[in-house]
């Protein structure tokens, strides 16, 4: 838990591994997931590294497994999940067995698929021929009788041509009646149904109307053997005369990818062919069934182990990728690696290396040595499933500089609280908390489903954030006494109605006066008095003043806490001078101006009341709410050294225009001291650096701020020194420019950041008003309806109100409040102490590799 407040101490180590033990040791480190290896061959091409052949073999095995997985998914066969723990990385000698197994399965499956495709193609051809024989029999039967089949077809050809287009070019013969002495030819085939219209037009134009086409649709779809898609086709028969037209018709059929089949003219021959076709189809059905059964058995057997095979192959591939980062010492027959490791886990890593050595059977133990370096170590914060979501919010802004204060543990409380100030509603907060609780309660089943949706992944990853935001919103909803724009009357009200019924009916805009007996001078025990929900005239005025002041108070305390975090950084990195020339003037500037404004709010709340002890008191005028000064005007006058004594709204007040004795003098002192802090922030650090450089030039010793030591007592971590504020070779001009920018940003940012916290008030007011509009425009009208029709109307209205509440007031307003809260933490809070200029610790971990591979497949 300690690393949550500040990142883990990291150390750079050099690792020596014997060649025969390197694979097993890296495998153990991958299971551990605590070592980040550095690439010692940055200039070597990926195809020139030592273990490139092994990586290629793994790629080939992975390709075969993807092919098997594709076939398994196509047949809808469930793949068994890995029971218990993931299998360990197999030994290198097991790669040969795996390659042989995958090669056998792939060849067998490809052979089965080729045979099945050939059988399906034959089955398709026989099926199409069966339909041709049936349909053409119908065609011939329709024209049989009289002069016989061919004669009737010829007459049909002539009559069809005469009826369709008189203007077309006729046959080359002078009279079509003379063509009865010629026997017509015909071709039969099958074509895709959607190509029939274009096919018919092309035949008509190319043959100049000298063809007779009949077509009939095949009712049942046919399976395409190549793509396994179901396609709809039609049978056609084309009658024509002459070899020239025959050649032309066949070319057109070939162009439209129509399949032609032989069709006997004699009915007896057609019947005999049909019987033979049916017999062959039955035989093919039997063979196809046996082929499909064999294919199914092969895939079922593969589906039982394919998940394990994927894990094993990916682990092998990851190990060899990691080994490619090592240097090879030919003389010593060992591999040399450099890696970042957490200092606290050195013993665990040593044990893992020892296990790997024992597994490989090597007699030479690995050597792990710490190295001295001036390179910035990576940042590593240990997290769990609860804290990881908040840590990711911080990483989205920037990874912390090594050993810098981590804002995540404080964000766990401040983030949902600031969100709840903007989203404060007991009802909407309960809906959000219920959704977050459901995701947390069903965590494991939902993870097992592996839902492929980016939006769902974001929601599920932030389930604990959503739960806390909902719970905090319920708390602030109780403070605001707001539940779906209504209030809870738990403790009664401190206001009494002194008007009679007639006065209330005639004056809709009456206000209760706190100076009279309307208010019993007893504050509400918890939250806001429920009577304010009935105050149509001045409810917004009261809530505006209340929430605006609360927002400023929360914002100032939040910024003060951020500045105090910078002190923790200065002390840890031993930047003592920065404490005096940066932290002290910053905290003084913020306290004397903005924290003083907060104190004025509390003074105003306690010094001015609705009614004094008795009206004859001479302090009545100065302590009444009428004479209460505006905090904003007082603050502006304070900055301008001005006394607003001519304010016409306060002419009836006493001569003392201040809230307490000596206020004006104290305010002038505060402003002067705050202004003096600005040149200290601007010039203090550059002046110190110049003095440091002069002393170093004279004496030649190290910086008096950072010290020369780099051991653990000076903030180092196992050979990796903590970055401290040394300025050995900095140009003093750049220091002045940098410090000027930093000072201007802080001074102006103090004003803009304080005003930025007013978004807490603005979004809270907007959320409350939207909820009230939804209630008044929808549900209120439904509740006022009566009778049977009123019940139906209420049912419909409630559905609309519930949909608007969930979609707009919970989802959209919740997203808006979330983004504003994120900005308040990133800009207003973290800018006071968080640099975020580090880089993340990315250890070699099988768990991370397998998770990323699984997400890539989805």
């Amino acid at each position: 838990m300690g690393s949550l407040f500040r990142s883990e101490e990291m150390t750079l180590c050099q690792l020596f591994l014997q060649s025969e033990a390197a694979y097993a040791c890296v495998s153990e480190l991958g299971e551990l997931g605590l070592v980040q290896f550095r690439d010692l061959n940055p200039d070597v091409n990926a195809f020139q590294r030592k273990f490139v052949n092994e990586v290629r073999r793994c790629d080939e095995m992975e390709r075969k497994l993807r092919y098997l997985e594709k076939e398994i998914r196509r047949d809808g066969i469930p793949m068994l999940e890995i029971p218990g723990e993931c299998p360990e990385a197999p030994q290198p000698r097991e790669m040969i067995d795996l390659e042989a197994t995958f090669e056998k399965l792939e060849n067998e499956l490809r052979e089965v698929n080729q045979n099945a495709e050939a059988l399906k193609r034959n089955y398709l051809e026989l099926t199409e021929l069966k339909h041709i024989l049936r349909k053409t029999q119908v065609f011939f039967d329709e024209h049989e009788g009289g002069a016989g089949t061919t004669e009737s077809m010829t007459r049909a050809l002539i009559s069809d041509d005469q009826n369709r287009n008189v203007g077309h070019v006729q046959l080359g013969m002078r009279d079509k009646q003379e063509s009865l002495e010629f026997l017509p030819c015909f071709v039969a085939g099958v074509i895709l149904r959607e190509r029939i219209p274009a096919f018919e037009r092309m035949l008509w134009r190319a043959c100049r109307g000298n063809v007779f086409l009949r077509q009939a649709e095949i009712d049942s779809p046919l399976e395409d053997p190549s793509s396994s898609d179901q396609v709809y086709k039609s049978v056609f028969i084309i009658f024509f005369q002459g070899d020239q037209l025959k050649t032309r018709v066949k070319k057109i059929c070939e162009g439209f990818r129509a399949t032609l089949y032989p069709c006997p003219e004699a009915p007896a021959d057609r019947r005999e062919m049909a019987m033979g076709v049916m017999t062959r189809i039955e035989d093919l059905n039997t063979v196809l069934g046996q082929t499909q059964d064999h294919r199914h058995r092969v895939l079922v057997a593969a589906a039982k182990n394919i998940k394990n095979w994927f894990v094993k192959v990916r682990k092998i591939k990851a190990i060899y990728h990691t080994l490619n980062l090592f240097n090879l010492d030919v003389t010593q027959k060992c591999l040399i690696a450099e890696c970042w490791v957490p200092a606290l886990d050195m013993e665990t890593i040593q044990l893992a290396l020892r296990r790997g050595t024992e597994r490989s059977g090597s007699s030479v133990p690995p050597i792990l040595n710490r190295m001295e370096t001036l390179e910035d170590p990576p940042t590593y914060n240990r997290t769990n499933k609860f804290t990881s979501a908040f840590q990711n919010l911080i990483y989205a802004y920037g990874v912390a500089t090594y050993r810098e204060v981590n804002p995540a543990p404080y964000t766990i409380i401040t983030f949902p609280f600031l969100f709840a100030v903007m989203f404060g509603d007991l009802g909407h907060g309960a809906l959000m908390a219920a959704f977050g609780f459901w995701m947390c309660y069903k965590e494991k089943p939902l993870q097992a489903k592996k839902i492929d949706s980016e939006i769902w992944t974001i929601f599920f990853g932030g389930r604990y954030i959503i739960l806390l935001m909902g719970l905090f919103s319920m708390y602030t909803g109780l403070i605001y006494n707001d539940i779906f724009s209504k209030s809870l009357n738990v403790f009664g009200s401190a206001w009494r109605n002194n008007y009679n019924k007639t006065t209330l009916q005639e004056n809709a805009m009456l206000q209760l006066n706190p100076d009279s007996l309307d208010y019993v001078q007893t504050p509400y025990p918890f939250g806001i008095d429920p009577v304010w929900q009935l105050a149509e005239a001045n409810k917004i005025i009261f809530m505006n003043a209340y929430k605006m002041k609360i927002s400023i108070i929360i914002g100032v305390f939040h910024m003060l806490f951020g500045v105090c975090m910078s002190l923790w950084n200065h002390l840890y990195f031993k930047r003592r001078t920065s404490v005096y020339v940066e932290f002290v003037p910053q905290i003084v500037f913020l306290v004397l101006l903005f924290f003083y404004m907060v104190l004025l709010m509390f003074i105003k709340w306690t010094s001015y009341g609705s009614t004094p002890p008795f009206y004859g008191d001479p302090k009545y005028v100065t302590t009444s709410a009428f004479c209460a000064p505006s905090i904003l005007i007082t603050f502006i006058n304070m900055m301008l050294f001005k006394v607003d004594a001519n304010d016409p709204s306060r002419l009836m007040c006493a001569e003392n225009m201040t809230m307490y004795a000596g206020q004006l003098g104290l305010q002038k002192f505060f402003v002067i001291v705050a202004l003096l802090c600005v040149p200290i922030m601007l010039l203090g650090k550059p002046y110190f650096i110049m003095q440091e450089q002069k002393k170093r030039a004279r004496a030649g010793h190290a910086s008096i701020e950072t010290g020369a030591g780099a051991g653990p007592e000076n903030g180092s971590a196992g050979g990796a020194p903590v970055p401290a504020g040394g300025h050995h070779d900095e140009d003093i001009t750049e220091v002045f420019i940098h410090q000027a920018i930093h000072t201007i940003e802080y001074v102006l940012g103090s004003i803009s950041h304080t005003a930025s916290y007013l978004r807490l008030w603005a979004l809270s007011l907007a959320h409350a008003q939207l909820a009230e509009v939804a209630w008044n425009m929808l549900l209120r009208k439904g509740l006022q309806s009566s009778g049977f029709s009123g019940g139906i109307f209420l049912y419909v209205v409630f559905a609309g109100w519930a949909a608007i509440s969930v979609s707009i007031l919970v989802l959209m307003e919740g997203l808006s409040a979330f983004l504003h809260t994120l900005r308040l933490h990133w800009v207003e809070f973290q800018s006071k102490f968080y640099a975020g200029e580090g880089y993340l610790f990315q250890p070699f971990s099988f768990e991370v590799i397998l998770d990323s591979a699984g997400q890539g497949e989805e």
Side-chain angles (χ1 to χ4, degrees), residues 51-196:
F51 301 98
V52 64
N53 292 329
E54 285 78 2
V55 174
R56 286 176 176 174
R57 290 168 61 189
C58 293
D59 288 335
E60 181 65 16
M61 287 191 290
E62 212 170 359
R63 181 195 63 77
K64 295 174 182 177
L65 287 176
R66 284 195 298 269
Y67 171 72
L68 292 174
E69 185 184 30
K70 177 184 175 183
E71 296 296 320
I72 290 171
R73 292 185 186 276
R74 191 172 73 173
D75 280 22
I77 300 173
M79 292 178 285
L80 297 180
E81 296 293 335
I82 301 175
E85 298 181 357
C86 291
E88 294 182 352
Q91 294 298 319
R93 57 180 176 273
E94 296 182 30
M95 284 183 64
I96 301 176
D97 297 336
L98 290 175
E99 286 177 317
T101 301
F102 301 157
E103 183 74 19
K104 177 183 177 183
L105 284 173
E106 184 190 27
N107 292 337
E108 186 176 4
L109 192 57
R110 288 190 183 277
E111 183 179 357
V112 171
N113 287 342
Q114 290 174 0
N115 293 337
E117 184 176 349
L119 291 173
K120 287 181 180 179
R121 197 175 301 279
N122 292 337
Y123 180 80
L124 176 65
E125 293 174 355
L126 291 174
T127 305
E128 291 176 347
L129 180 57
K130 178 187 72 174
H131 287 289
I132 286 176
L133 294 175
R134 287 181 180 178
K135 299 296 182 181
T136 53
Q137 181 64 36
V138 176
F139 296 157
F140 286 123
D141 291 343
E142 289 177 354
H143 295 280
E144 280 184 353
T149 302
T150 56
E151 183 179 349
S152 61
M153 286 295 176
T154 306
R155 288 173 180 158
L157 174 65
I158 298 172
S159 60
D160 181 74
D161 178 69
Q162 292 174 347
N163 293 333
R164 292 175 69 176
N165 194 345
V166 178
H168 272 64
V169 179
Q170 305 298 318
L171 281 170
M173 296 169 287
R174 295 186 177 182
D175 189 3
K176 284 195 174 182
Q177 295 295 333
E178 297 177 0
S179 65
L180 287 173
E181 62 188 32
F182 299 100
L183 294 178
C185 303
F186 68 90
V187 293
V190 176
I191 191 173
L192 289 175
R193 189 177 298 178
E194 60 268 17
R195 295 179 181 172
I196 284 291

Side-chain angles (χ1 to χ4, degrees), residues 627-648:
C627 290
S630 170
I631 300 298
L632 181 59
I633 298 299
T634 302
F635 184 74
I636 294 175
N637 291 335
M638 169 185 167
M639 299 301 296
L640 297 177
F641 296 98
K642 178 182 176 183
V643 180
D644 195 8
N646 297 323
D647 186 357

Side-chain angles (χ1 to χ4, degrees), residues 22-63:
Y23 181 93
C25 290
V26 172
S27 174
E28 290 291 336
L29 295 178
E31 299 290 349
L32 199 60
L34 290 173
V35 177
Q36 177 178 334
F37 291 100
R38 303 171 65 187
D39 190 0
L40 300 183
N41 308 297
D43 299 328
V44 180
N45 192 296
F47 300 100
Q48 296 176 348
R49 304 203 177 193
K50 177 176 175 57
F51 301 98
V52 64
N53 292 329
E54 285 78 2
V55 174
R56 286 176 176 174
R57 290 168 61 189
C58 293
D59 288 335
E60 181 65 16
M61 287 191 290
E62 212 170 359
R63 181 195 63 77

Side-chain angles (χ1 to χ4, degrees), residues 180-247:
L180 287 173
E181 62 188 32
F182 299 100
L183 294 178
C185 303
F186 68 90
V187 293
V190 176
I191 191 173
L192 289 175
R193 189 177 298 178
E194 60 268 17
R195 295 179 181 172
I196 284 291
F199 180 63
E200 188 174 0
R201 286 195 300 270
M202 181 59 70
L203 281 173
W204 174 262
R205 294 171 182 174
C207 301
R208 300 182 179 181
N210 295 307
V211 294
F212 180 73
L213 172 68
R214 292 294 305 273
Q215 60 92 14
E217 297 179 351
I218 300 176
D219 298 330
S220 58
L222 304 177
E223 182 181 356
D224 187 352
S226 300
S227 61
S228 299
D229 296 334
Q230 299 293 324
V231 295
Y232 289 89
K233 294 187 176 183
S234 296
V235 172
F236 66 88
I237 184 169
I238 305 172
F239 294 92
F240 51 86
Q241 289 180 337
D243 294 337
Q244 185 178 2
L245 283 179
K246 181 178 182 180
T247 303

Side-chain angles (χ1 to χ4, degrees), residues 589 592-594 596-597 631-643 667-668 670-672 674-675 747 751:
F589 182 85
L592 295 185
L593 295 183
F594 298 97
Y596 173 72
M597 181 175 61
I631 300 298
L632 181 59
I633 298 299
T634 302
F635 184 74
I636 294 175
N637 291 335
M638 169 185 167
M639 299 301 296
L640 297 177
F641 296 98
K642 178 182 176 183
V643 180
Q667 289 181 168
K668 291 180 180 179
F670 284 171
V671 174
I672 293 173
L675 293 177
V747 174
I751 303 172

Side-chain angles (χ1 to χ4, degrees), residues 633-826:
I633 298 299
T634 302
F635 184 74
I636 294 175
N637 291 335
M638 169 185 167
M639 299 301 296
L640 297 177
F641 296 98
K642 178 182 176 183
V643 180
D644 195 8
N646 297 323
D647 186 357
S649 64
R650 300 185 59 187
L651 292 178
M652 297 179 60
C653 299
E655 295 181 358
N656 187 6
M657 303 297 296
T658 59
M659 301 172 65
Y660 59 90
Q663 178 182 351
L664 298 179
L666 185 61
Q667 289 181 168
K668 291 180 180 179
F669 173 75
F670 284 171
V671 174
I672 293 173
V673 174
L675 293 177
L676 290 177
C677 291
V678 177
I680 297 176
M681 289 187 283
L682 180 63
L683 304 174
K685 191 171 183 179
Y687 173 78
F688 163 76
I689 294 175
M690 287 191 298
Q691 295 298 320
E692 179 186 3
Q693 290 177 352
K694 290 179 180 179
K695 290 182 180 180
R696 192 168 57 250
R698 289 195 304 265
H701 55 75
S703 169
I704 59 174
E705 177 182 356
T706 61
E713 67 276 8
N714 289 323
S716 67
V722 173
H727 309 279
H728 297 281
D729 300 317
E730 287 190 67
D731 187 0
I732 194 64
T733 305
E734 295 181 1
V735 175
F736 267 109
I737 295 174
H738 180 271
Q739 196 64 22
I741 295 173
H742 184 72
T743 303
I744 294 172
E745 180 184 4
Y746 180 82
V747 174
L748 297 182
S750 298
I751 303 172
S752 63
H753 291 176
T754 304
S756 182
Y757 279 92
L758 290 175
R759 68 185 71 237
L760 300 174
W761 151 62
L763 266 74
S764 176
L765 179 65
H767 184 82
Q769 291 302 306
L770 283 174
E772 187 173 355
V773 168
W775 181 281
N776 292 332
M777 297 297 291
L778 290 175
L779 198 57
R780 185 177 182 180
K781 295 180 179 180
L783 292 173
Q784 290 175 349
S785 59
S786 61
F788 179 76
S789 59
I792 299 177
F793 178 69
L794 176 60
Y795 179 82
V796 175
V797 166
F798 178 79
W801 174 80
I804 290 176
S805 297
V806 173
S807 61
I808 297 179
L809 296 176
V810 176
L811 289 178
M812 294 183 63
E813 282 287 312
L815 178 60
S816 176
F818 178 88
L819 295 176
H820 283 283
T821 308
L822 201 60
R823 181 245 155 78
L824 289 177
H825 279 79
W826 283 357

